[in-house]
Amino acid sequence: MTQLSRRTTAHLFCSVNGVVENPNLFQFDAFGPEEGAMMTAAIAPVTDVVIGRKLWHEWSQYWPGAEDPFGAFINPVR
């Protein structure tokens, strides 16, 4: 019998002073090429994504038609 191994990771956007609420208010003005490269490296091996109902509902309105690097990742992932 073959046993499949899976690894679970969690990613959290957090400001320098520890704020995790409303990352849309602080992450994009400081998100440059280096951060993009780190994000790409972190999500490259991901095969499945688990998100909550509220986030899924919010994203379901945008990502299906988005043609950017994150859209290329999130749209086909299970």
Side-chain angles (χ1 to χ4, degrees):
M1 173 172 26
T2 302
Q3 185 175 18
L4 298 176
S5 174
R6 292 196 153 199
R7 190 172 88 181
T8 302
T9 58
H11 300 269
L12 177 67
F13 285 106
C14 180
S15 70
V16 174
N17 64 351
V19 174
V20 296
E21 178 181 33
N22 297 322
N24 59 309
L25 299 179
F26 66 81
Q27 82 183 42
F28 294 111
D29 63 343
F31 200 89
E34 295 85 8
E35 290 80 14
M38 290 185 334
M39 174 73 104
T40 299
I43 67 174
V46 172
T47 58
D48 299 85
V49 173
V50 177
I51 59 175
R53 179 196 54 81
K54 184 175 179 179
L55 182 58
W56 179 87
H57 181 71
E58 291 172 1
W59 282 15
S60 70
Q61 306 300 309
Y62 176 77
W63 289 113
E67 295 182 14
D68 66 8
F70 188 72
F73 159 75
I74 199 66
N75 288 325
V77 77
R78 290 185 293 181

